[in-house]
Amino acid sequence: MQTNSKPSASLSLDLDNLWSYMKTHGDAGWESFPSYLDVVVPRVLKFLKERNLQITFFVVGQDAALEKNRAALKSLTEAGHEIGNHSFNHEPWLQKYTMEQVEAEIAQAEGVIEKVTGQKPIGFRGPGFSVSDSVIAILNRRGYLYDASTLPTYIGPLARLYYFMTAKLKDEEMSKRDNLFGSVKDGFRPIRAHFWRSEDGVEQKIIEIPVTTMPIFKIPIHVSYIIYIATYSPALAMLYFRVALWLCRITGTQPSLLLHPLDFL
């Protein structure tokens, strides 16, 4: 994941579609796979071209499988951007899958993404920052170079509580999402790129590129959070982000910054 003007930082965009937000939130109608990629993708590409930036787009396999999205997705590689695998079904409880289910999920997405974009993914990001040793083992076996699924923050349980308060979910659906946004122990994960270590401490070949959180404090700094703060105070949002980048500089942390389609819309 890279930008061609600032090699010390990387940018990525999780190309979550409208249906994937609806599905995770428990909203009716997601099964028809409503899409806004035809609106988002041209806007994003124009924004990046004006700034001479190349980034990584993590694509959901289900979107690549639908004819209506293929022109938009193909335009990403035509513009020179990297394509990553963001799972096929975009279910943020990927860590609960069996090994066979993980293999099918990653392989199915990989195949249709490569067919549509012409680029085989070498990077993976689990939906909702979901990852497990099984996921890493499958990625390693399939020749991936990196995973970018971890969000090193302590506030995952608070984010999950807020999410459950606003979502329309039955008990069964809530139980699937009981690790959404991670746990307190995720705050102890490193914020710099490193080789993945399994739960028993064994180092793997896969490089982990965490979504950067604010050094020392480990609170989220990706763009969705900045925009949320800006709804209360744009000045505070900019101060928050500038402090985060300053802390990245003084700690030698190369920021990996995450965006979502709604950040542009």
Side-chain angles (χ1 to χ4, degrees):
M1 300 191 299
Q2 61 184 358
T3 68
N4 57 14
S5 63
K6 294 185 179 180
S8 61
S10 63
L11 297 174
S12 62
L13 190 148
D14 287 2
L15 209 54
D16 303 345
N17 209 344
L18 177 57
W19 69 266
S20 60
Y21 287 109
M22 295 170 65
K23 180 180 182 180
T24 303
H25 204 253
D27 295 330
W30 69 265
E31 298 91 343
S32 62
F33 302 112
S35 176
Y36 45 42
L37 296 187
D38 58 331
V39 175
V40 171
V41 169
R43 186 177 300 187
V44 173
L45 291 180
K46 180 176 183 292
F47 178 92
L48 295 173
K49 184 177 181 179
E50 290 172 349
R51 291 158 178 80
N52 193 31
L53 295 173
Q54 288 184 316
I55 74 171
T56 300
F57 288 86
F58 287 97
V59 174
V60 177
Q62 177 63 75
D63 283 321
L66 297 174
E67 180 67 36
K68 64 182 178 180
N69 298 320
R70 291 180 180 176
L73 296 179
K74 187 170 178 55
S75 69
L76 301 177
T77 48
E78 290 175 341
H81 299 287
E82 181 192 358
I83 303 298
N85 187 334
H86 198 32
S87 79
F88 189 86
N89 291 296
H90 198 273
E91 295 183 341
W93 46 94
L94 191 65
Q95 72 279 356
K96 294 189 173 186
Y97 281 19
T98 65
M99 184 72 82
E100 292 75 18
Q101 288 173 322
V102 170
E103 177 89 54
E105 181 76 7
I106 292 174
Q108 188 177 10
E110 177 188 305
V112 70
I113 289 170
E114 182 176 12
K115 180 180 179 180
V116 170
T117 68
Q119 187 179 130
K120 181 179 179 180
I122 60 170
F124 178 82
R125 175 170 287 146
F129 310 108
S130 56
V131 68
S132 66
D133 285 349
S134 295
V135 171
I136 299 300
I138 298 300
L139 294 177
N140 192 28
R141 189 159 71 228
R142 300 190 67 84
Y144 283 69
L145 299 184
Y146 70 90
D147 174 74
S149 301
T150 56
L151 180 69
T153 183
Y154 302 106
I155 71 167
L158 291 176
R160 182 166 58 252
L161 177 62
Y162 175 79
Y163 188 86
F164 283 164
M165 290 172 61
T166 59
K168 304 169 185 177
L169 298 168
K170 297 179 180 179
D171 290 345
E172 179 183 355
E173 293 298 312
M174 290 181 67
S175 67
K176 289 181 180 178
R177 297 160 173 80
D178 60 6
N179 197 47
L180 190 64
F181 307 129
S183 63
V184 172
K185 70 178 183 180
D186 289 324
F188 295 96
R189 294 184 184 272
I191 63 174
R192 296 183 180 89
H194 59 280
F195 283 101
W196 177 271
R197 286 187 178 274
S198 61
E199 291 184 358
D200 57 7
V202 178
E203 187 171 272
Q204 308 295 313
K205 294 180 180 179
I206 294 289
I207 297 173
E208 182 65 34
I209 304 177
V211 175
T212 304
T213 53
M214 189 179 293
I216 302 173
F217 302 102
K218 289 192 170 180
I219 48 181
I221 62 171
H222 50 281
V223 177
S224 302
Y225 279 79
I226 306 302
I227 291 176
Y228 178 76
I229 296 172
T231 61
Y232 295 95
S233 170
L236 178 61
M238 288 305 301
L239 176 63
Y240 181 92
F241 192 58
R242 285 170 178 157
V243 168
L245 293 183
W246 176 74
L247 288 172
C248 285
R249 283 195 294 270
I250 67 172
T251 60
T253 302
Q254 295 183 341
S256 175
L257 302 176
L258 164 66
L259 301 103
H260 288 101
L262 291 179
D263 299 333
F264 287 87
L265 291 179

